Structure formats: C-alpha cells, structure tokens
Amino acid sequence: FSVDDIYNLDGQLRELIVPPRELQHITPNWAMRDVSWFIDFPTSAKKVSAFFRKEAGYDVDGVITVNPKLVGELLKVTGPIALPDYGMTVDAENFLAEIQAEVEYGKNKDQNKPKQVVTDLAPRLLMKLYSADRDAWLKVVNVFVLGLERNDILMYFKDQAVERFVDEKGFAGRVAQPEGDYLAVTFSNIKGSKTDAVTDSSVSQKIGFDDKVTTHTLTITRRHNGGGSRYRFYNRQNSSYVRVLVPDGAQLVSISGNSKVSFSPLMNYAKMDFARDADLSALEATYSTDASKGVTVFRESGKTGFGFWMLTDPGEIKTVELTYTTPAPQIPEYSLYVQKQPGLELRNFELAFRPPAGARVERSVPELQNIGDQYIVNGKLDRDIALTVRWVR
C-alpha cells in the first residue's frame, strides 16, 4: 500500500496536450490532475487510466474515487489520530481543513512534498481500522454503503464483467439514459481554491406543460460563506464552471445572472507543438458559444448541455436563472430523472410543476406533495431521484 501526490506523476509527463478550453487560462498543459473533466464518470476514469499509463509507465486495473468527507465519517468510528510531526490531531470535525492547511502552507511545501501529510496519515488510519472491533467494523461498512448510495464512491474497472456489475448496481457514475425528462447540474471549481467547502448550493426547477412544449425554468443559487475564516483558502473567490445536462434537443430560451468572462489562454496553441486529445476534441466540436449571453451549448453523453460561469465572492449570493424547452410528452405520463453530481450534496432542491390545463394527477410518487394547483418535491438532494406521474383530463 502506498500513497503518492498526483503532482509527482504529472511531473513525469513529457507529452504536451491541449487542456479543455475552460482550463486554458490556468494551466498550459493537460495532465492527470485535470483529466476527470467529463461528466460521465467511466469516460473520465478511462482518461485518468490513460494518463496514468503515460506518466507512471504501467497500467492500472481500475479507478475508485472517494469523497474526502467519508474520511471524516471514518474518523468518527476510529477516533482522533495524532500526527506529532505536524503538531496536530485530526478528527471528524477538523480533518479536511487541517490537512488542507498543511498541504497549502506546511513546511513540506518548500520541499515540493505538499501532500506528505496524507502519506503519513494513511497508514495510521488503516492501522486503526485493522484493529477495530466488530461493532466498529459494522459502522465502517455502513459508512461505505451510504457512500455508494449517495455517489460519494464511484468505481471503474477495465475488467468488463466487473464494470458491468458496478454499473448495474449504480456505482459506475454513468450519465443515466432514462426515457423521459432528465436533469443534472455539475459544478467544476476552477481556480477557486477550496471554497466549495464553504459554498452552499441550491437548485429549483419549475416545469410548465402545454400541447407543444414543456418549459423548464431552472434556478441555481450559490452562497459563499467564506471571508472571515482563519484558513486563507476559504476566503478566496469561488470560480465555478457550471454545466447543466438536459434531454437531447432541448432549446435554450434565456439565461440571466451568470458571470460573463473573457479569460485568455496562457498559450497560443495554434503556433505550438501540442497534441490534441481525441475525446476532448470531439466534445468541444459540439460547442456553440453565445458570448453576449455568456453561455455555451454542447452535446455530451447523448444529452444537450448548457455551460456557463458563476464567480461568487466571499459573503456574496449569486443566482442564475436558465429557461429551456423540450417537446411535450406524447402520452399522459411524465417522468423525470434527476442525477446528483458525485461528491456534492445540494442542501436545498425543489421541483415544482403544474399539470396541463384541465388535467389532474391520477398517480404520483409519495415524495410529491400537492399544494394548491402545484405538485412539489423539496428537501436536500443527496442521491438520484426518479419520479413518474400520470394525469387524466
């Protein structure tokens, strides 16, 4: 068992590769630290594997991602872990901030080993897990089961039989392909330091029906709670590139509240001897950007996507409203699949719709509340949601 810093491997990359357009103002070259760019996890995991092979010189059998908050949950079971060489003790409450502070500002950064603290922590945490009693192990299992249910753990394996198994169980992070309506909202923190940890996100979706189209009004709100933290990395601007995946063929009507930026690439790639990644080039070939609106329409994983920036300063609340249309359902039944971004918990999610004029809901899921002439689902979004309603006239 070994722990390494991804920057150590990235330093072995000799090939110059053009990064995604949205990253070109912060990095001149695409490396493994940034290749988990595709919303579909198996696509990103394959790219991670390919870059690992370029940098390490050998293959991996799979890729597993774990949300760092699960380590905090494990520390609730094992108890605190002392790291005397760093003058700290980490527990469930301070783990993420203290480790990040050591990575950003600790003594090992000057020796180009900023994540040595993670290397030193890992065997101590494993030793505590190995020596835990039966009751503690049951709690550990529960931590991982809940992590799988909430997409806080994703898996990809080159062995096709194993990959089919994790896909069937819902652990593969594949972009879902339901028959009906679909929504996925993804935030990518780009040069925003670690401010996602202190930024709350909420999403609401209002849906209206008529005989020709279904109109969706999506509202995304982010509140930056940093600014007064003793950790400087929580006091910087949160810079997020937001991508919204919706059914293929959806038409953008309007967008407001997003940040209109004019970032410039660090390199003139047309004049440089950089290679282009085939999968990334195929994605970006679908881009259609309206600079006046600050939005890019694209296609990914069989979906239409809308991409835009949200720059949120400490103490600020930023809201974006996006309206788009999809064809009206052809049968008196409406289904919607909302796919949660792995690693992200939306504390406030609301879905509201009215049936077509003159119709009433005959059957719905228990989560749907009837309030006046509206039907509403609200609460936190910590896992995928699938709902189907049927109405009659």
Side-chain angles (χ1 to χ4, degrees):
F1 181 87
S2 63
V3 176
D4 203 353
D5 184 341
I6 197 168
Y7 285 90
N8 290 338
L9 284 167
D10 282 351
Q12 310 306 310
L13 183 64
R14 296 293 177 259
E15 189 176 357
L16 298 175
I17 303 171
V18 179
R21 295 182 192 179
E22 295 79 9
L23 301 181
Q24 291 176 7
H25 66 289
I26 67 167
T27 183
N29 191 33
W30 211 24
M32 187 166 55
R33 62 184 178 271
D34 294 324
V35 298
S36 184
W37 179 249
F38 302 91
I39 297 173
D40 181 70
F41 180 71
T43 304
S44 278
K46 290 175 186 177
K47 197 62 60 181
V48 170
S49 299
F51 271 71
F52 185 92
R53 184 172 60 252
K54 291 175 186 286
E55 299 177 7
Y58 62 93
D59 285 325
V60 293
D61 297 306
V63 177
I64 300 176
T65 64
V66 180
N67 188 331
K69 73 179 183 182
L70 262 69
V71 179
E73 294 299 316
L74 291 176
L75 288 170
K76 289 181 182 178
V77 179
T78 66
I81 296 177
L83 296 169
D85 290 346
Y86 299 89
M88 73 168 78
T89 297
V90 294
D91 57 28
E93 301 301 321
N94 71 6
F95 159 72
L96 193 57
E98 288 295 322
I99 294 297
Q100 189 59 47
E102 179 61 33
V103 169
E104 294 286 335
Y105 312 123
K107 59 183 180 181
N108 288 316
K109 187 164 188 176
D110 294 337
Q111 302 173 31
N112 203 28
K113 296 181 179 180
K115 296 186 179 178
Q116 181 64 37
V117 63
V118 181
T119 303
D120 294 337
L121 171 64
R124 289 175 168 84
L125 176 59
L126 288 174
M127 188 58 67
K128 281 222 170 191
L129 289 174
Y130 293 155
S131 61
D133 60 25
R134 177 182 174 84
D135 289 343
W137 264 104
L138 290 174
K139 294 177 182 178
V140 169
V141 170
N142 287 335
V143 168
F144 282 103
V145 169
L146 193 59
L148 289 166
E149 290 177 354
R150 293 180 173 178
N151 295 344
D152 286 332
I153 302 173
L154 297 179
M155 304 177 184
Y156 163 78
F157 296 97
K158 288 186 176 179
D159 184 306
Q160 294 184 4
V162 181
E163 177 64 10
R164 280 196 300 271
F165 172 79
V166 298
D167 198 8
E168 290 168 0
K169 297 299 181 183
F171 308 149
R174 191 179 303 279
V175 170
Q177 303 295 331
E179 290 293 329
D181 207 349
Y182 175 88
L183 174 66
V185 180
T186 300
F187 300 97
S188 296
N189 184 331
I190 299 174
K191 206 178 179 180
S193 190
K194 304 303 174 184
T195 51
D196 273 355
V198 292
T199 301
D200 294 331
S201 303
S202 61
V203 172
S204 70
Q205 172 85 292
K206 294 182 179 179
I207 304 173
F209 302 92
D210 63 30
D211 292 336
K212 295 183 178 180
V213 298
T214 302
T215 301
H216 307 72
T217 301
L218 179 70
T219 303
I220 301 171
T221 300
R222 306 205 84 194
R223 180 183 184 128
H224 192 327
N225 299 307
S229 174
R230 68 185 182 92
Y231 302 109
R232 297 197 299 274
F233 45 78
Y234 288 159
N235 298 330
R236 298 173 184 169
Q237 182 185 72
N238 180 273
S239 177
S240 286
Y241 189 68
V242 185
R243 286 171 288 179
V244 178
L245 288 187
V246 296
D248 189 30
Q251 299 294 310
L252 178 67
V253 176
S254 64
I255 184 172
S256 62
N258 54 311
S259 303
K260 298 178 178 64
V261 303
S262 56
F263 296 136
S264 298
L266 296 176
M267 310 286 287
N268 184 344
Y269 295 104
K271 296 182 178 180
M272 305 291 290
D273 189 23
F274 275 68
R276 292 188 178 272
D277 179 83
D279 295 321
L280 181 60
S281 294
L283 171 64
E284 293 183 343
T286 70
Y287 280 17
S288 175
T289 300
D290 186 333
S292 65
K293 294 181 180 179
V295 63
T296 295
V297 181
F298 62 96
R299 292 191 75 252
E300 182 175 354
S301 298
K303 311 291 184 187
T304 291
F306 308 120
F308 53 89
W309 289 91
M310 291 184 74
L311 308 184
T312 312
D313 290 323
E316 185 180 24
I317 299 175
K318 178 84 71 173
T319 298
V320 172
E321 185 173 280
L322 181 75
T323 301
Y324 62 95
T325 60
T326 57
Q330 297 301 306
I331 56 175
E333 187 171 271
Y334 172 73
S335 62
L336 170 66
Y337 192 93
V338 181
Q339 192 160 11
K340 166 190 172 291
Q341 179 180 358
L344 176 72
E345 178 182 305
L346 288 175
R347 296 184 179 180
N348 297 290
F349 173 78
E350 182 174 284
L351 166 71
F353 74 90
R354 290 183 175 86
R360 61 182 176 82
V361 171
E362 180 184 55
R363 174 171 56 84
S364 68
V365 294
E367 296 86 352
L368 208 56
Q369 306 173 51
N370 184 198
I371 302 177
D373 61 347
Q374 287 195 102
Y375 289 82
I376 296 174
V377 174
N378 57 21
K380 65 181 179 180
L381 184 67
D382 60 3
R383 63 194 71 200
D384 296 354
I385 293 177
L387 65 86
T388 300
V389 296
R390 184 176 179 85
W391 51 70
V392 294
R393 295 184 185 274

